[in-house]
Amino acid sequence: MAKQRDPVLDSMRGIGIVLMVLGHAGFPGSSFIYLFHMALFFMLSGWFFSPHTGESAHRLARFAKRKVVTLWLPFVAANTVYTLLTNLFLKVNILTGDERILDLPGNLITTPVTIKDIIGRTAHWSVFDGGTQLGGAMWFIQALFQISLLYAGVEFLLKKLLRSGDTLIPQGLLAGVLLWLGWQAQRIGWNVWGLGIAASCYCLFYLGVVLHRVQHPHGPARGALCCAGAFVVLLVLGQFGSVGLAGTSYPGPLYLLAASLAGWMLVYEGAHLLARVPAVSGAFSALGRATMPIVILHFLAFKPVTWLGLLATGGESYLLAAFPIYFTGGAWWGAYTAAGLALPLLAYAVWVRLKKAVRRG
């Protein structure tokens, strides 16, 4: 029998994915969102980690196989498809070889690909060596795959060494060491194969495991108070620094832990409060069940908004390739966010229908 999904945890995923798209869409409060929004996903993954995973080699292998299918395969497949579409994207200006695009910060020029390029780059994607521009948000999928397998492998070894002992303390010590190493890697600019990110974020996965252990009942009054307190803490932290996990950028280990825990409290308690409004909670839950397609497709989904904006303003066609967005200020972030959520959801709905049709056929 399939495990019943927890609508509150799905809502947390949904809130997190909306925050991610808002951050990429130019939302004015993006610096606040970046303090915790991706840490939330690592912590949620730790929350769902089963303590039985490391009890046998069979369980460990089954866990690894599941992560290959749900994380590694989407990463490689999506980046490969984007590579296959490179020449088409160049023709329609979703990507560009026009050097004027370099005048816009964070942009790059793209050259046509050959069959040899596609094969070679797919080999690189397979070992997490780089990625495509439109698949840039998938750095998280790579890091989560690396962290999940490492955590499960360590759990297996610890259970063998400690027999029936609790692994939480040694896992915590390792998480602390890796956080320090990730912090040092950031300071010297080392992040080969994304391992600097994985080292920094291992502790966030571990925090999720711990939080699942210490969960306790709560009421609406306490939840609202916790939300307000967490929000204030994040506002204060925002005055002293920022977090960019994709580039392992944060002021220090304690800062990262404080911001991540405050963000978890804000979203966790907020999701429980939203559960009292089924329509709103249901909408966030639906988004939470579609996190993977949104992560993969939302940068591409921004392009129709830029295209319509260029048509309306008479902008040059090469500007469609501006990454991740071209228009800023005003309500543009609202249009980008709506497209970044709705279009991947539509694609996901079509995909689900096709899968069902194939199974029936």
Side-chain angles (χ1 to χ4, degrees):
M1 183 184 292
K3 229 187 233 184
Q4 189 173 3
R5 297 185 72 107
D6 186 329
V8 170
L9 296 172
D10 275 339
S11 290
M12 291 181 70
R13 282 200 188 97
I15 293 168
I17 207 68
V18 170
L19 292 175
M20 184 200 73
V21 176
L22 278 169
H24 292 155
F27 177 63
S30 292
S31 57
F32 177 85
I33 289 171
Y34 272 63
L35 288 171
F36 65 91
H37 76 305
M38 295 314 294
L40 175 69
F41 286 108
F42 287 113
M43 294 166 79
L44 274 168
S45 297
W47 178 285
F48 284 109
F49 181 79
S50 170
H52 303 298
T53 301
E55 289 179 353
S56 69
H58 173 70
R59 287 178 182 270
L60 179 63
R62 190 168 60 184
F63 176 84
K65 181 180 177 181
R66 187 165 67 249
K67 294 305 171 185
V68 166
V69 172
T70 60
L71 295 174
W72 178 85
L73 186 58
F75 179 90
V76 176
N79 277 306
T80 298
V81 170
Y82 278 138
T83 306
L84 284 166
L85 294 173
T86 295
N87 293 345
L88 173 62
F89 285 163
L90 282 167
K91 287 181 181 178
V92 297
N93 293 303
I94 288 174
L95 300 173
T96 186
D98 193 318
E99 293 188 359
R100 289 177 294 173
I101 201 71
L102 298 176
D103 294 333
L104 302 176
N107 281 268
L108 49 84
I109 57 174
T110 304
T111 55
V113 296
T114 64
I115 296 296
K116 182 180 177 181
D117 293 328
I118 293 167
I119 294 170
R121 292 179 192 182
T122 299
H124 282 279
W125 311 153
S126 298
V127 293
F128 296 124
D129 184 15
T132 55
Q133 185 187 59
L134 289 170
M138 289 189 285
W139 67 267
F140 162 75
I141 299 173
Q142 169 182 339
L144 183 57
F145 179 80
Q146 293 167 329
I147 292 167
S148 298
L149 290 192
L150 178 59
Y151 194 96
V154 170
E155 190 76 3
F156 174 75
L157 291 175
L158 288 174
K159 285 187 181 296
K160 289 290 184 186
L161 291 171
L162 302 176
R163 303 296 179 180
S164 59
D166 194 351
T167 63
L168 210 57
I169 292 176
Q171 280 279 25
L173 292 173
L174 176 61
V177 170
L178 288 176
L179 177 57
W180 182 83
L181 289 173
W183 166 238
Q184 296 304 315
Q186 173 209 226
R187 296 176 70 182
I188 64 173
W190 184 90
N191 190 33
V192 176
W193 289 312
L195 293 176
I197 300 174
S200 290
C201 297
Y202 188 93
C203 67
L204 303 176
F205 189 97
Y206 170 75
L207 283 178
V209 175
V210 174
L211 287 166
H212 195 184
R213 291 255 196 120
V214 300
Q215 61 175 313
H216 48 85
H218 43 265
R222 173 185 170 277
L225 185 62
C226 288
C227 272
F231 184 77
V232 171
V233 169
L234 287 165
L235 284 178
V236 172
L237 287 173
Q239 303 304 307
F240 297 97
S242 60
V243 175
L245 289 181
T248 58
S249 172
Y250 50 92
L254 292 179
Y255 185 98
L256 176 62
L257 293 174
S260 300
L261 285 168
W264 172 273
M265 184 65 69
L266 177 66
V267 177
Y268 180 75
E269 297 295 351
H272 278 87
L273 291 172
L274 284 177
R276 305 172 73 84
V277 187
V280 177
S281 179
F284 278 113
S285 293
L287 289 167
R289 292 189 292 272
T291 52
M292 185 64 79
I294 293 173
V295 167
I296 291 172
L297 295 172
H298 74 283
F299 283 145
L300 182 60
F302 288 163
K303 296 303 181 183
V305 177
T306 299
W307 177 70
L308 290 172
L310 291 172
L311 283 181
T313 60
E316 293 196 57
S317 58
Y318 80 92
L319 292 171
L320 179 60
F323 181 82
I325 58 172
Y326 177 65
F327 295 100
T328 58
W332 283 105
W333 65 266
Y336 280 119
T337 300
L341 294 171
L343 295 180
L345 274 177
L346 178 61
Y348 180 59
V350 171
W351 170 252
V352 169
R353 284 199 165 204
L354 284 172
K355 282 175 68 177
K356 287 180 178 178
V358 169
R359 284 172 185 166
R360 289 194 194 111

